[in-house]
């Protein structure tokens, strides 16, 4: 070999990206993709609720723990009410999820190909595409579930009990984000107790990790005690509503096309089989029990299907590692077309998922009419500034002396959040509502004499006030039909409460 050839070979080797660097680039690319595609339409109703509570931080809220409003407050401080800026935190969370999943594939024994496949398979999940787009509790709940899975896989692979500290931190952060973390914790407990991982019960690191989880969660636990565990009342009410509306009816079929991308079905099934039955996967059997236990608990308790979505990345990582190992057992002539086929499936699945979920299709276009009907995700991002403008027009038509004694009464947290966010631009008065945490903030002092009622059926508005005058219906500039335009869409100016405000307010608490 000539010296020039040796130098060239060394240069090529030196400049080859490490597997970790490649995963970081993929994760960064996924986060950047979300940032670049998150700026259309408007905020979703769930985001508006988060942003409203971000303005009044506390150690807990009726509907969720405090981390997501805290992160939203950080986003408001850095970026103001910017769609792209506020959603950047959710995009970053999903980028980290992608990296952690690739690293899990490595711990399962996967090489570069398996790590990339696992990372991309997670990135194109419909729920993952959604959580990378919206600043809501699911965005960060997804991250903590995957972090817990990553620490667990790392613990099992390296047999280093210090990873219990990471597990404890993930549990604590998860409980400070969304209480469904308890389902995955139950799965972890079962996985430890019925496998050889029982040996860790004697490790001080496990109990140190437990202490870390409790320490992180303690502020919200104290808040719950102080508020008589109101979130349990909320969760019971919401669960009963979901059952009445049939929102848990499709738990099983939606595991195939919502919680994961249907094009990745063979991967996570293979991952589950690998962890349960493959000799090489024996030490990862607690992971399989984590998933199965969580799956069964959510099924039996009739939870919504997407609650399980963040449990799938660990299976996708295991399945990718197994698939790579199987492909290596084949001749290159057979393996190469299969590798290309996997890449094609991920590409097609990704394109379909993006069209269904991401806010990139022009409103009321032909594609909008196709993909906008699949779920209400897109339609619920449209029309909120229009609502604020309509309410402002009603408010400014009132006599000046009446405006000073007027409040806006909103029926749901989306309307309240929109008027809280956009109202100051139009000089609107404070928003009051009986929804979730808003009820505890009261109706103002002195009580309003006039209220602009948004989001109520006429009969209920008349039940509360002796005088209610309709002022038009909610509409948006695009003519998009959504909850605000299809239901309780009439706007009213109401006066003369039928009972004193303290009595009226006592009966106006509701959960959404």
């Amino acid at each position: 070999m000539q010296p020039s050839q040796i130098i060239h070979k060394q240069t090529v080797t030196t400049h080859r990206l490490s597997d970790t660097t490649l995963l970081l680039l993929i994760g960064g690319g996924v986060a950047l993709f979300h940032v670049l595609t998150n700026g259309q339409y408007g905020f979703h109703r769930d985001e508006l609720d988060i942003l409203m509570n971000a303005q009044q931080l506390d150690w807990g809220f009726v509907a969720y723990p405090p981390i997501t409003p805290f992160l939203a407050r950080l986003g408001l401080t850095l970026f103001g009410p910017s769609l792209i800026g506020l959603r950047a935190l959710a995009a970053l969370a999903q980028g980290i999820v992608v990296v952690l999943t690739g690293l899990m594939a490595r711990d399962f024994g996967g090489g570069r190909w398996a790590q990339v496949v696992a990372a991309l398979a997670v990135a194109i999940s419909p729920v993952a595409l959604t959580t990378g787009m919206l600043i809501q509790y699911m965005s960060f709940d997804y991250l903590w579930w995957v972090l817990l899975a990553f620490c667990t896989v790392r613990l099992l692979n390296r047999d280093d009990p210090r990873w219990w500290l990471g597990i404890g931190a993930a549990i604590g952060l998860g409980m400070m984000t969304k209480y469904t973390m308890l389902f995955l914790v139950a799965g972890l407990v079962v996985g430890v107790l019925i496998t050889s991982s029982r040996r860790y019960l004697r490790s001080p690191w496990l109990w140190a990790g437990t202490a870390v989880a409790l320490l992180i969660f303690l502020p919200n636990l104290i808040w719950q005690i102080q508020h008589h565990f109101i979130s349990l009342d909320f969760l019971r009410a919401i669960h009963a509503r979901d059952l009445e509306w049939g929102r848990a009816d499709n738990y099983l079929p939606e595991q195939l096309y919502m919680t994961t991308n249907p094009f990745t079905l063979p991967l996570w099934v293979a991952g589950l089989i690998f962890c349960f039955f493959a000799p090489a996967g024996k030490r990862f059997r607690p992971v399989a029990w984590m998933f199965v236990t969580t799956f069964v608990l959510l099924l039996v308790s009739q939870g919504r299907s997407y609650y399980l979505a963040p449990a799938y990345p660990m299976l996708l990582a295991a399945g990718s590692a197994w698939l790579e190992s199987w492909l290596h057992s084949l001749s290159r002539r057979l393996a190469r077309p299969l590798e290309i086929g996997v890449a094609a499936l991920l590409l097609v699945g990704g394109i379909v998922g993006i069209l269904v979920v991401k806010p990139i299709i022009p409103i009321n276009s032909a594609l909008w009419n196709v993909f906008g009907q699949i779920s209400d995700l897109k339609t619920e991002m449209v029309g909120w500034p229009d609502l604020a403008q309509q309410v402002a027009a009603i408010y400014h038509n009132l006599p000046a002396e009446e405006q000073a004694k007027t409040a806006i009464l909103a029926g749901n947290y989306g309307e309240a959040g929109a008027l809280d966010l956009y109202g100051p631009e139009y000089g609107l008065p404070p928003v009051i509502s009986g929804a979730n945490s808003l009820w505890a903030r009261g109706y103002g002092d002195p009580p309003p004499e006039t209220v602009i009622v948004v989001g109520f059926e006429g009969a209920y508005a008349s039940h509360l006030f002796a005088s209610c005058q309709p002022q038009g219906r909610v509409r948006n500039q695009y003519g998009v039909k959504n909850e605000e335009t299809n239901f309780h869409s009439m706007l009213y100016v109401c006066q003369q409460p039928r009972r004193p405000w303290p009595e009226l307010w006592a009966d106006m608490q509701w959960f959404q």
Side-chain angles (χ1 to χ4, degrees):
M1 181 178 293
Q2 298 298 318
S4 60
Q5 292 176 306
I6 296 174
I7 293 172
H8 176 70
K9 182 177 180 180
Q10 289 176 339
T11 302
V12 171
T13 303
T14 301
H15 285 84
R16 188 176 186 269
L17 293 176
S18 69
D19 292 353
T20 301
T21 301
L22 181 59
L23 285 176
L24 289 172
L25 288 174
I26 294 172
V30 168
L32 181 61
F33 167 77
H34 283 297
V35 168
L36 294 178
T37 57
N38 281 350
Q40 295 200 77
Y41 310 166
F43 289 111
H44 188 273
R45 69 167 60 249
D46 292 348
E47 294 179 291
L48 293 168
D49 182 52
I50 295 290
L51 295 176
M52 178 172 52
N53 286 326
Q55 302 286 4
Q56 302 194 47
L57 291 179
D58 203 344
W59 283 114
F61 300 89
V62 169
Y64 37 72
I67 276 188
T68 308
F70 169 77
L71 293 174
R73 178 65 170 268
L74 177 62
L76 284 169
T77 302
L78 294 174
F79 308 111
S82 161
L83 270 177
I84 292 178
L86 284 165
R87 290 173 171 178
L89 296 173
L92 177 61
Q94 192 53 223
I96 296 172
V97 163
V98 165
V99 174
L100 291 176
T101 304
L103 292 175
M104 276 194 283
R106 180 188 303 177
D107 284 334
F108 280 118
R112 175 181 291 241
W113 186 87
Q115 294 169 43
V116 171
V117 167
L120 296 178
V122 169
I124 65 173
S125 159
V127 174
L129 289 169
T130 302
T131 58
M133 173 176 64
L134 304 181
I135 184 161
Q136 57 167 313
Y137 52 72
M138 186 63 185
S139 303
F140 307 104
D141 176 64
Y142 200 111
L143 172 59
W144 308 137
W145 278 49
V146 174
L147 178 61
L148 172 56
F150 166 76
C151 292
T152 302
V153 171
R154 183 61 56 95
L155 165 75
L156 298 172
N157 184 46
R158 299 189 177 183
D159 196 20
D160 183 350
R162 290 175 296 181
W163 280 100
W164 281 110
L165 295 177
I167 291 171
I171 292 171
L173 290 168
M175 288 296 295
M176 290 290 276
T177 304
K178 193 171 186 286
Y179 299 122
T180 48
M181 170 60 76
L182 284 173
F183 288 98
L184 189 63
V185 172
L188 175 62
V189 170
V190 170
V192 168
L193 292 178
I194 66 176
T195 67
S196 60
S197 294
R198 287 188 302 274
R199 67 186 184 278
Y200 289 120
L201 294 174
R202 297 189 297 270
S203 170
W205 291 105
L206 183 151
W207 303 108
T210 302
V212 168
L214 291 173
L215 184 63
I216 293 174
F217 178 56
L218 184 60
N220 183 246
L221 178 60
I222 293 173
W223 184 90
Q224 290 290 351
I225 293 171
Q226 292 172 337
H227 292 80
H228 311 290
F229 291 93
I230 190 172
S231 292
L232 293 179
D233 296 332
F234 167 83
L235 292 171
R236 280 191 289 266
I238 293 302
H239 185 60
R241 180 206 66 185
D242 286 349
L243 294 182
E244 181 181 352
W245 292 359
R247 287 185 168 179
D249 292 350
N250 295 319
Y251 177 85
L252 289 174
E254 287 180 356
Q255 301 306 317
L256 305 178
Y257 62 83
M258 178 182 288
T259 57
T260 57
N261 194 298
F263 290 89
T264 64
L265 172 65
L267 280 180
W268 67 259
V269 171
L272 185 61
I273 294 172
F274 170 79
C275 291
F276 259 133
F277 303 112
K282 181 179 179 180
R283 67 180 181 275
F284 298 114
R285 199 158 292 165
V287 171
W289 282 113
M290 278 175 65
F291 176 84
V292 170
T293 303
T294 307
F295 175 91
V296 171
L297 287 175
L298 286 169
L299 175 64
V300 171
S301 63
Q302 296 182 286
R304 298 183 68 175
S305 62
Y306 70 86
Y307 293 171
L308 189 64
Y312 283 95
M314 58 188 179
L315 298 187
L316 290 168
S320 298
W322 173 86
L323 178 60
E324 182 187 61
S325 175
W326 179 70
L327 289 174
H328 284 173
S329 70
L330 304 176
S331 68
R332 191 60 183 164
R333 182 174 60 84
L334 292 175
R336 185 60 177 170
L338 292 174
E339 290 175 349
I340 295 173
V342 170
L345 285 175
L346 292 176
L347 177 62
V348 173
I351 292 172
V352 173
I354 289 167
L355 290 174
V356 170
V357 175
K358 299 297 289 183
I360 59 175
I361 299 172
I363 296 175
N364 286 334
S365 65
L367 282 176
W368 168 276
N369 294 330
V370 173
F371 290 101
Q373 304 302 316
I374 295 177
S375 76
D376 62 1
L377 186 67
K378 291 185 173 70
T379 60
E380 294 301 330
M381 298 183 201
V382 176
W384 299 112
D386 300 314
L387 173 65
Q389 290 176 12
Q390 285 184 265
V391 173
I394 295 170
Y395 173 71
H396 290 296
N397 275 337
L398 297 173
E401 63 275 10
E402 192 175 338
Q403 291 180 20
K405 304 172 184 178
T406 297
I408 302 170
L409 177 60
N412 66 52
Y413 61 72
E415 296 151 353
L419 295 166
D420 183 75
L421 180 64
Y422 300 115
E425 178 183 349
Y426 299 103
L428 290 178
V431 183
I432 62 175
S433 177
N436 300 344
S437 293
L438 284 161
W439 180 82
R441 296 168 193 166
Y443 47 82
D445 186 17
E449 295 181 10
T450 299
V451 291
I452 301 173
V453 176
V454 183
F456 284 72
E457 298 293 345
Y460 187 66
S462 297
H463 169 73
L464 299 174
F465 302 94
S467 172
C468 282
Q469 302 300 320
Q471 301 293 317
R473 292 188 178 277
V474 176
R475 61 185 184 277
N476 59 69
Q477 60 185 298
Y478 303 101
V480 170
K481 295 182 179 180
N482 54 27
E483 180 179 335
E484 304 309 310
T485 61
N486 283 7
F487 310 100
H488 52 70
S489 60
M490 187 67 72
L491 300 168
Y492 300 91
V493 171
C494 295
Q495 295 173 318
Q496 303 172 27
R498 294 188 182 275
R499 290 184 289 166
W501 269 101
E503 295 180 19
L504 200 68
W505 200 250
D507 293 334
M508 287 182 65
Q509 183 180 24
W510 54 79
F511 297 130
Q512 298 174 337

